Amino acid sequence: MYSPSVRKNLTDKTQAKVDSLPQPLFPYVRHTLWEYKYHSNHQKRRTIMKLKQKAANIIKACLLTATFCGCSDFLSEYSQDMVIPKHVQQLDELLIGDVYMQSYKMEYGMSNQSCQFFNLLDDDINTVGTSLIGKVGHPYYNYAINSMYGYYAWQQDVRYNYQAKNYSNDNATWNDMYRRISIVNIILDEIEQLPHKTDQDYADYLRVKGEAFFLRGQFYFVLANLYGDAYNPSTCASKLCVPLKLSAHVEYDKDADQQFKRESVKRIYEQIVSDLKESARLLTESPQKSHHLLHRASWEAASLLLSRVYLFMQDWPNAEIEAEKVMNSRLFSLAPTSNFSNETPFLTTTNPEIIFSQGSNPLCCRSDWSVTGQYGDYCVTNELYSMFDDNDVRKTTFFAKRRNTVEPQNDSIGLYKKYERGIEYSHISDALMLRMAEAYLNYAEACAMQPTKADKANSTLNTLRSQRITPYAPQTYSGEQLVQEIRNERRKELCFEGKRWFDLRRYAVCVQYPYSRNIIHAYSVYNDNFSFATTEYYLLPAGDPAYTFSLPRKVIEFDKVPMPDNPRNKREPLEYEDKKTEQE
């Protein structure tokens, strides 16, 4: 533990810098040490009350071990405006409450909030239009289609709705990820000062550190794939990614023209790999408790995410190694065909292959909203739907055709039982979930990229398919065809799990078997009374700069000399006669 004099010195030094700051754009700027010295008595009282309430909630939920301290000494108050951690379990609670992303009530589906728009961007989604002018659409339109026009149509400024009259923030994910990263940095700094008097204390110390490293790695991976170029081994050292913040203290120079700099793609990926490797090591030495596996990190979660990161880096041997570790886990397994049904959801808390999940799921908000295939809502693309064989059990579980007796040609496809729909609070994320099927796909892809391991790739692909298609006859592929079959299987298996957009980015820079394509999104316009007006078509060409987001506007405006931004072009709808030819 810090002595009182050292604590005061650290806090005063840090606070002196903080007090001179303008309203920050990076949430971590005003995070000092765990003490969180606040700027008003009102904030101070709210924070202490919040921490005490957390302690009470933990006791009720039995989240801590039998050695936790009582409520009376949960907080050690050095002064009236300072809260100091005394035990690892307190940092554990901070991790639970302020670093892990919680599930919260979702009413209106996909939005610009943190990590809630990933499934809007790719080639698996469209909007539902009609040939009947004036046809009444769903009131959901204004909440999640009109307001998300900038994201869905890959606009230069994603903040504006279709009419360009209303705009919302473009920095929710950026702010949220950096806020959580800053708390991780504080935890990793403070945990080294705490005593480990018992074996349980030491085990908790290892586990909390392991979870913290995992979360920081996952958050930087999200940021890197939204705001940095895809990892290309030949250019990663020079291409810009995002700022890297690893220290717990404030770094701010009020006289500097630029406070933050963007690190290279290579440097950010090096840090992600380092964090995930350390996480896997620590969580192997001090495994996660079995009753916490779904919503807290385990070594399996760290190794699975690490295998994905290695795929993005085109480090095939290491991707293979990490994926194989997960496949050999005794705690998780592929879900069999019997888990698929058009009557019960597939991805639930009882699914044997879900390794980890955090955050909300806007696709679950209500059964009659969000990718239902109704007029004025999103739908699944026919291209994705047609990739599934009729004897593929995923086809009738994941999707449902919405029959249209008025316009039979406009039968649209909605999400069905992939997730538990209509529950508002979801335990399974559509963006930050890790499951065993991905381990098989990662392993198959990594082997397929190594010329001498095609047999392993085929065997793994056939194993996965045998649990999805019935009856199934094993197939054998080679070379580029094998890679493309695995990519297609990945698209089918992991659809609407927030991975397709990131995969398209990395495929385009794959040295061995590059793949890129044009994407067209049909944007159906409904009037204020929800009556259909027209459909516009927006093209995202292969290799377009819009595969990378511009930095949030407030981040650019924060510095006297702004950080270099990512270019994005203005995008106009296609002329009608061009909409089909451009897709090819």
Side-chain angles (χ1 to χ4, degrees):
M1 290 281 291
Y2 292 124
S3 68
S5 60
V6 172
R7 284 197 301 266
K8 185 176 187 304
N9 185 47
L10 286 172
T11 304
D12 289 347
K13 284 183 178 179
T14 306
Q15 199 62 54
K17 294 182 179 180
V18 173
D19 288 339
S20 67
L21 299 184
Q23 182 65 29
L25 276 305
F26 289 80
Y28 58 70
V29 171
R30 283 191 182 269
H31 286 287
T32 58
L33 300 176
W34 155 248
E35 288 88 342
Y36 280 100
K37 186 174 180 182
Y38 282 85
H39 303 286
S40 72
N41 288 331
H42 176 66
Q43 288 175 305
K44 174 195 66 181
R45 288 193 296 270
R46 287 180 61 192
T47 304
I48 294 175
M49 289 175 63
K50 179 181 176 184
L51 288 168
K52 288 182 177 179
Q53 183 61 49
K54 284 182 181 179
N57 289 341
I58 286 183
I59 294 170
K60 293 176 184 177
C62 296
L63 291 176
L64 292 181
T65 66
T67 60
F68 68 87
C69 58
C71 281
S72 62
D73 62 351
F74 180 79
L75 299 178
S76 174
E77 295 185 22
Y78 166 65
S79 70
Q80 291 185 350
D81 63 353
M82 198 175 292
V83 179
I84 312 280
K86 191 174 181 180
H87 303 289
V88 171
Q89 289 86 349
Q90 294 165 336
L91 295 181
D92 189 29
E93 168 55 6
L94 181 63
L95 195 73
I96 296 170
D98 289 286
V99 182
Y100 279 104
M101 298 178 69
Q102 309 299 314
S103 177
Y104 56 89
K105 187 175 182 180
M106 301 292 301
E107 296 186 23
Y108 300 124
M110 290 178 282
S111 73
N112 63 351
Q113 295 307 299
S114 183
C115 303
Q116 291 184 16
F117 54 87
F118 296 175
N119 291 304
L120 279 177
L121 307 171
D122 59 39
D123 49 357
D124 291 338
I125 194 167
N126 248 314
T127 62
V128 182
T130 174
S131 61
L132 302 177
I133 302 299
K135 178 70 177 179
V136 175
H138 203 286
Y140 173 74
Y141 172 80
N142 273 339
Y143 290 113
I145 296 185
N146 189 17
S147 63
M148 294 304 292
Y149 163 79
Y151 290 84
Y152 176 79
W154 312 293
Q155 292 299 302
Q156 184 181 53
D157 191 337
V158 299
R159 298 176 300 165
Y160 288 91
N161 68 354
Y162 175 75
Q163 295 85 357
K165 294 180 180 179
N166 299 319
Y167 71 91
S168 54
N169 72 69
D170 63 348
N171 60 358
T173 300
W174 177 284
N175 284 0
D176 188 48
M177 295 293 98
Y178 275 113
R179 181 184 69 82
R180 296 176 192 277
I181 288 169
S182 72
I183 300 174
V184 167
N185 294 339
I186 292 167
I187 289 172
L188 291 174
D189 182 66
E190 287 294 304
I191 201 169
E192 300 299 335
Q193 317 304 323
L194 300 181
H196 319 308
K197 296 179 180 179
T198 67
D199 290 345
Q200 186 59 58
D201 284 342
Y202 185 65
D204 289 342
Y205 159 77
L206 296 175
R207 177 182 52 76
V208 170
K209 280 186 67 176
E211 292 180 64
F213 279 118
F214 169 82
L215 291 165
R216 189 169 71 180
Q218 187 174 44
F219 296 150
Y220 270 122
F221 182 72
V222 169
L223 289 167
N225 280 278
L226 291 176
Y227 301 107
D229 282 2
Y231 190 103
N232 184 331
S234 64
T235 63
C236 62
S238 59
K239 292 292 186 178
L240 295 178
C241 197
V242 295
L244 182 63
K245 173 68 174 174
L246 301 176
S247 63
H249 61 274
V250 173
E251 299 169 8
Y252 186 83
D253 181 357
K254 66 180 181 180
D255 297 321
D257 289 337
Q258 191 175 89
Q259 302 299 329
F260 311 99
K261 71 171 185 175
R262 298 176 65 183
E263 295 288 349
S264 69
V265 172
K266 181 180 180 180
R267 176 67 187 92
I268 296 298
Y269 269 81
E270 287 174 345
Q271 187 61 49
I272 294 168
V273 168
S274 175
D275 282 353
L276 294 177
K277 288 175 70 174
E278 184 66 0
S279 172
R281 183 188 71 80
L282 292 166
L283 291 171
T284 299
E285 186 173 351
S286 180
Q288 187 61 260
K289 297 176 178 64
S290 60
H291 56 285
H292 288 164
L293 282 175
L294 177 61
H295 293 308
R296 302 193 67 172
S298 60
W299 74 258
E300 289 95 339
S303 287
L304 178 51
L305 183 55
L306 183 55
S307 75
R308 189 198 305 172
V309 172
Y310 281 134
L311 286 186
F312 279 56
M313 299 172 70
Q314 302 178 49
D315 184 345
W316 314 120
N318 278 319
E320 174 194 355
I321 291 169
E322 296 301 325
E324 187 173 27
K325 290 178 186 177
V326 180
M327 291 164 61
N328 292 331
S329 170
R330 294 177 295 176
L331 299 178
F332 306 97
S333 60
L334 277 180
T337 54
S338 58
N339 276 47
F340 292 84
S341 168
N342 59 5
E343 297 181 355
T344 57
F346 174 60
L347 294 175
T348 66
T349 57
T350 60
N351 189 302
E353 66 178 61
I354 298 180
I355 295 171
F356 172 77
S357 181
Q358 66 170 327
S360 298
N361 187 336
L363 301 179
C364 294
C365 64
R366 287 180 55 174
S367 58
D368 60 342
W369 285 6
S370 198
V371 198
T372 62
Q374 297 184 76
Y375 292 118
D377 193 4
Y378 298 106
C379 64
V380 177
T381 60
N382 278 292
E383 180 185 75
L384 173 62
Y385 183 75
S386 64
M387 293 176 69
F388 293 83
D389 295 336
D390 288 340
N391 58 336
D392 191 322
V393 294
R394 294 171 295 191
K395 190 171 189 176
T396 54
T397 301
F398 291 178
F399 314 115
K401 274 201 168 185
R402 182 171 292 276
R403 298 299 176 186
N404 190 330
T405 58
V406 178
E407 299 176 280
Q409 75 279 11
N410 279 1
D411 285 356
S412 57
I413 304 156
L415 273 181
Y416 189 42
K417 295 291 186 180
K418 181 162 194 179
Y419 296 107
E420 192 173 3
R421 310 261 284 170
I423 57 174
E424 294 188 339
Y425 292 94
S426 174
H427 295 288
I428 307 299
S429 169
D430 70 322
L432 299 174
M433 171 180 53
L434 295 162
R435 61 188 180 99
M436 182 61 80
E438 186 189 351
Y440 277 73
L441 290 162
N442 291 358
Y443 182 81
E445 182 179 344
C447 290
M449 292 292 187
Q450 301 175 75
T452 63
K453 297 185 177 181
D455 288 346
K456 287 185 176 182
N458 277 297
S459 175
T460 306
L461 178 61
N462 285 324
T463 298
L464 175 63
R465 284 179 171 177
S466 69
Q467 301 300 316
R468 304 299 189 251
I469 303 170
T470 179
Y472 177 72
Q475 305 293 313
T476 301
Y477 310 99
S478 62
E480 187 171 4
Q481 183 187 15
L482 173 59
V483 171
Q484 192 56 49
E485 289 289 334
I486 294 168
R487 288 172 174 173
N488 288 343
E489 202 63 40
R490 185 181 187 89
R491 181 182 182 185
K492 291 187 291 182
E493 178 70 26
L494 305 181
C495 66
F496 292 93
E497 296 183 26
K499 297 177 176 63
R500 176 66 176 170
W501 177 253
F502 293 171
D503 281 339
L504 288 172
R505 283 166 41 91
R506 71 181 178 93
Y507 294 157
V509 297
C510 179
V511 174
Q512 202 162 340
Y513 297 114
Y515 170 81
S516 58
R517 64 170 306 180
N518 296 342
I519 305 175
I520 286 184
H521 274 178
Y523 184 82
S524 298
V525 181
Y526 288 77
N527 296 318
D528 291 342
N529 61 356
F530 308 123
S531 61
F532 176 74
T534 187
T535 297
E536 296 180 346
Y537 296 88
Y538 292 87
L539 169 68
L540 182 69
D544 193 278
Y547 273 99
T548 302
F549 278 80
S550 297
L551 300 186
R553 181 61 59 89
K554 288 186 177 180
V555 172
I556 293 296
E557 294 172 348
F558 180 68
D559 279 321
K560 298 175 184 177
V561 177
M563 287 188 291
D565 199 3
N566 302 318
R568 264 198 166 199
N569 302 321
K570 291 185 177 180
R571 200 171 309 278
E572 299 294 335
L574 298 175
E575 297 296 329
Y576 180 79
E577 57 269 19
D578 294 335
K579 67 183 178 65
K580 288 187 177 180
T581 57
E582 292 285 1
Q583 183 75 47
E584 302 302 327

